[in-house]
Each structure stands twice: as structure tokens, then as C-alpha cells.
Amino acid sequence: MDHLILRIMIRRARERRRRIQINLSRIEKAQLRDMLDPFAVTETEFCQYYRLPKVLARELIDSLEPYMHQPQRASAIPVYLKVLCALHFFANGNFQKPNERNYDLAMSQPSVSRAIDEVVNVMNRLDILQAHIRFPREYNERRLVIHKNSLASDLKCVIGYVDGTHIPIKRPTEREDIFVNRKGYHSINVQITCDTDLVILNVVAQFPGCTDDAYIWAGCSIRERMVAIYNEGRGESCWLLGDSGYPEEPWLHTPIPDAAEGSKERVYTEKHCSARNAVVRCIRILKGRFLCLSKIRALDYHHLKVSKMVNACCVLHNICVKARLSDPDPVPEEEELEDAGDDHVLDDVCDEEVVQEVDGGRSHRIRNLLREAQDIRQRYLIDCQEVPPCL
């Protein structure tokens, strides 16, 4: 019995020493964090580490702080450090223990992981997402965006450009087959809609890599919004531009394949592709600024968490674009080709078949929509002389 009591006392003593060591480690790390100031670097270095200038970083911290857990202990990690830790992760990829900054050594890997989770969840609050990623809902707002887009191209009444891109992820443990895209690696397929200034108007980041662009488009909220605008019957001319992977619809127009050289259809297709290049550039800048989304970094997280990270990076992208920050260095060549390779060409018959497949086989309705879309494209888009004023 005495031997058993002695063993229990030894275990308790070891546990007390372990707890004391943990508390001392927390105190040391807190003291180190207090001594180091992440803002005490040059503006260039700060932008390199976090992709935001100091002013914007402080504004972001102030906007997120009311929704984050407030420190309860003296050794707790402050909110500003959690936000900067998440920004550093977005900028550099899936390394949760970066070694470029000394203050990061004062945070354990579990603390870094919890900080990233908290910041990502807060940035996915509906009010924060809508404050930074917003498709123009009011008539006058749409007119301003359409006018801005028309100044950049000869195509009128275009409110934005839509395209898909793949965000690489590590091999999932559940249903991994549906996350394999046509390039042969695991990903989620993200649909981006932006304007000519590369401001993201809408993002859909919830579909596995095997999903094609037409399927995502068929069930997304922005399509429902475009249909509602088209059906309001006020004579408003408003549509998006997409590549040939999307169906031709009255509210979404695609290039005309095999148009004869010198024909107005060919001229329209060239203008269409030139204008729609905005969304390709938007995606490249997004991935170049936040390397966690690029092909050189495969996010080792559950796909739902990856979707939230994509939304958070899109919020930060719009903050950077609206602040007119300089574009980041381009992503590696293979990453650029990955996005460009999604622009495959289908003829009008294939467009119709794709839409039939994703729209439940209601072929009669789909054929009518296709005819309406082709009529609009022929009358309003191809012949610039007949383009009506955007009221």
C-alpha cells in the first residue's frame, strides 16, 4: 500500500512540475511578444510579410476585434497578433510556423492553428463578407459598374466577368475521388465574378474539383440574381461574360466559336475575350498575393475550411484592390497555364447539352433560353451600331 501511495505522489509531483513548466513557457512567450512589435519594421517589409500596409492592417484588426475572443489571461495572445499570424499564413502558404519573423517563435503551432481558425471564421461572418464582396443590387449601382466596364471595352451593358479556378488541396480522407479535377490533382473548383477593376463581386467556393463550371453556374446565387434582373421587365440591359465552358444564356454571353475571319462575329469574340481577360488577371493576382491558394501550396485542411480560407482571401483581395496597392509578383508559369487551360471551347450544341444536363433535362425551356441569348448577342453585342443605351 505504501508503495502505491508513493507512486501516486510521484505522479502528482510530475504533473505539478509539468504545469509549472507550461505556465513558465507561457509567461516567457508573452514577455517575448510584449517586447517585439511586428509593426516596427519598414512599410516594404510589412507588406512583404502580410500583403497589407500598416494602415490597412490596423483597420482590419479594428474591424475584426469586436467579433474575436478577448484575452482573459495576461499570457493570452492578443487579437492583433492573431490577425497578423493569419495574414502571414495567407501570404506564404501552409507553413503554420514561419521562421522569417522572430515574434512567430513566441507562438506554438497549436496556437497558430487556433488563431488562423478564429480569424478565418470571423472573416466569414455574413456581415463582413457582404461589406467587402458585394454584387451591385440596386439599379443605379449596376449602371455605375456597367459604365466603368464599358470604358474598358467596346462591349456595352456588361456588369462583370465570370470564370472558375482550382484551389489545390491535400488528398481528402472522405470521398477523395470527387475532388480530383481534370488535371489529375485534388482541388476545389472556385467560381470568381469580378469587374474591370478586378474587384471581386461574387465568389462560390464550395464545389469539389470534379465539378465543371456550367454545373456551378447553374446553381449559384449570382445566376439567380441575373435571372431576376432579366425578368423584372424594366428594359434593363445587363449581363455577364463567360468563357465557352458556360452555357449561352440571356444574362450570360460566351464567345462564338469558329467565327469567320473578318466577320463581325469574329470581332465580337475578340472583344469578348479581351474584356473577359479581367477575371483571368483577377485570379492570377489573387493567387500571386496569397500563395496559400496557389498550386505551389496544397492546403492540408478539410475542404469546408479551405472554402472559408478562399472567402477570406477574396475579402483581403478586394481591400488591396480598392486601396490601389501594386500587383504582386506573378505566380509560376505552370500556375498561370492552369487557369488559362480552363478556357476550353464548346460549340453552341455542346452549350445546350451542358445546360440540359445541369438543368434537369428540361430541353424545351433550355432551347428557348439559348435562342433568346443568341438573339440578344446578335442584336445587342455583335453589331455595335445597334447597341441600345444602357438606361
Side-chain angles (χ1 to χ4, degrees), residues 56-57 76 105 148 250 274 292 298 339 368:
L56 291 183
L105 300 178
K148 177 178 64 175
S274 177
C292 68
D339 290 318
N368 288 339

PDB file of all heavy atoms in Angstrom, residues 56-57 76 105 148 250 274 292 298 339 368:
ATOM      1  N   LEU A  56      -3.852  49.691 -43.400  1.00  0.00           N
ATOM      2  CA  LEU A  56      -4.937  48.755 -43.704  1.00  0.00           C
ATOM      3  C   LEU A  56      -4.955  47.589 -42.723  1.00  0.00           C
ATOM      4  O   LEU A  56      -6.034  47.083 -42.372  1.00  0.00           O
ATOM      5  CB  LEU A  56      -4.798  48.245 -45.135  1.00  0.00           C
ATOM      6  CG  LEU A  56      -5.052  49.254 -46.258  1.00  0.00           C
ATOM      7  CD1 LEU A  56      -4.947  48.582 -47.615  1.00  0.00           C
ATOM      8  CD2 LEU A  56      -6.431  49.901 -46.097  1.00  0.00           C
ATOM      9  N   ALA A  57      -3.777  47.141 -42.280  1.00  0.00           N
ATOM     10  CA  ALA A  57      -3.728  46.050 -41.305  1.00  0.00           C
ATOM     11  C   ALA A  57      -4.385  46.466 -39.991  1.00  0.00           C
ATOM     12  O   ALA A  57      -5.149  45.697 -39.392  1.00  0.00           O
ATOM     13  CB  ALA A  57      -2.283  45.619 -41.069  1.00  0.00           C
ATOM     14  N   ALA A  76      -2.306  35.527 -22.558  1.00  0.00           N
ATOM     15  CA  ALA A  76      -3.098  35.215 -23.749  1.00  0.00           C
ATOM     16  C   ALA A  76      -2.573  35.971 -24.967  1.00  0.00           C
ATOM     17  O   ALA A  76      -1.985  37.052 -24.852  1.00  0.00           O
ATOM     18  CB  ALA A  76      -4.564  35.556 -23.512  1.00  0.00           C
ATOM     19  N   LEU A 105       8.118  32.923 -33.270  1.00  0.00           N
ATOM     20  CA  LEU A 105       8.694  31.897 -32.424  1.00  0.00           C
ATOM     21  C   LEU A 105       8.059  31.920 -31.042  1.00  0.00           C
ATOM     22  O   LEU A 105       8.255  30.988 -30.258  1.00  0.00           O
ATOM     23  CB  LEU A 105      10.206  32.107 -32.317  1.00  0.00           C
ATOM     24  CG  LEU A 105      10.965  32.051 -33.647  1.00  0.00           C
ATOM     25  CD1 LEU A 105      12.436  32.331 -33.416  1.00  0.00           C
ATOM     26  CD2 LEU A 105      10.771  30.714 -34.328  1.00  0.00           C
ATOM     27  N   LYS A 148     -18.414  51.748 -65.994  1.00  0.00           N
ATOM     28  CA  LYS A 148     -16.981  51.559 -65.776  1.00  0.00           C
ATOM     29  C   LYS A 148     -16.438  50.447 -66.673  1.00  0.00           C
ATOM     30  O   LYS A 148     -15.359  50.591 -67.272  1.00  0.00           O
ATOM     31  CB  LYS A 148     -16.726  51.226 -64.304  1.00  0.00           C
ATOM     32  CG  LYS A 148     -15.286  50.942 -63.962  1.00  0.00           C
ATOM     33  CD  LYS A 148     -15.121  50.673 -62.481  1.00  0.00           C
ATOM     34  CE  LYS A 148     -15.869  49.430 -62.058  1.00  0.00           C
ATOM     35  NZ  LYS A 148     -15.619  49.103 -60.628  1.00  0.00           N
ATOM     36  N   PRO A 250     -29.478  34.423 -71.790  1.00  0.00           N
ATOM     37  CA  PRO A 250     -29.743  35.856 -71.988  1.00  0.00           C
ATOM     38  C   PRO A 250     -28.960  36.752 -71.040  1.00  0.00           C
ATOM     39  O   PRO A 250     -28.715  37.918 -71.360  1.00  0.00           O
ATOM     40  CB  PRO A 250     -31.250  35.971 -71.734  1.00  0.00           C
ATOM     41  CG  PRO A 250     -31.798  34.614 -72.039  1.00  0.00           C
ATOM     42  CD  PRO A 250     -30.729  33.656 -71.618  1.00  0.00           C
ATOM     43  N   SER A 274     -10.970  39.698 -74.942  1.00  0.00           N
ATOM     44  CA  SER A 274     -10.128  40.757 -74.398  1.00  0.00           C
ATOM     45  C   SER A 274     -10.728  41.327 -73.120  1.00  0.00           C
ATOM     46  O   SER A 274     -10.013  41.549 -72.126  1.00  0.00           O
ATOM     47  CB  SER A 274      -9.946  41.860 -75.436  1.00  0.00           C
ATOM     48  OG  SER A 274      -9.196  42.937 -74.908  1.00  0.00           O
ATOM     49  N   CYS A 292      -1.183  30.775 -50.364  1.00  0.00           N
ATOM     50  CA  CYS A 292      -1.873  29.599 -49.842  1.00  0.00           C
ATOM     51  C   CYS A 292      -2.878  29.048 -50.854  1.00  0.00           C
ATOM     52  O   CYS A 292      -3.269  27.882 -50.764  1.00  0.00           O
ATOM     53  CB  CYS A 292      -2.581  29.924 -48.527  1.00  0.00           C
ATOM     54  SG  CYS A 292      -3.978  31.066 -48.675  1.00  0.00           S
ATOM     55  N   ALA A 298      -0.443  23.224 -51.442  1.00  0.00           N
ATOM     56  CA  ALA A 298      -1.699  22.470 -51.372  1.00  0.00           C
ATOM     57  C   ALA A 298      -2.182  22.514 -49.928  1.00  0.00           C
ATOM     58  O   ALA A 298      -1.505  22.033 -49.018  1.00  0.00           O
ATOM     59  CB  ALA A 298      -1.494  21.029 -51.826  1.00  0.00           C
ATOM     60  N   ASP A 339      -4.934  28.196 -65.004  1.00  0.00           N
ATOM     61  CA  ASP A 339      -6.149  28.973 -65.155  1.00  0.00           C
ATOM     62  C   ASP A 339      -6.491  29.159 -66.619  1.00  0.00           C
ATOM     63  O   ASP A 339      -7.649  29.078 -67.004  1.00  0.00           O
ATOM     64  CB  ASP A 339      -5.980  30.348 -64.493  1.00  0.00           C
ATOM     65  CG  ASP A 339      -5.926  30.230 -62.985  1.00  0.00           C
ATOM     66  OD1 ASP A 339      -6.713  29.453 -62.446  1.00  0.00           O
ATOM     67  OD2 ASP A 339      -5.093  30.896 -62.370  1.00  0.00           O
ATOM     68  N   ASN A 368     -35.265  27.433 -75.622  1.00  0.00           N
ATOM     69  CA  ASN A 368     -35.808  28.796 -75.709  1.00  0.00           C
ATOM     70  C   ASN A 368     -34.828  29.822 -75.137  1.00  0.00           C
ATOM     71  O   ASN A 368     -34.635  30.901 -75.707  1.00  0.00           O
ATOM     72  CB  ASN A 368     -37.139  28.878 -74.964  1.00  0.00           C
ATOM     73  CG  ASN A 368     -38.259  28.170 -75.699  1.00  0.00           C
ATOM     74  OD1 ASN A 368     -38.168  27.945 -76.917  1.00  0.00           O
ATOM     75  ND2 ASN A 368     -39.319  27.807 -74.994  1.00  0.00           N
TER      76      ASN A 368
END
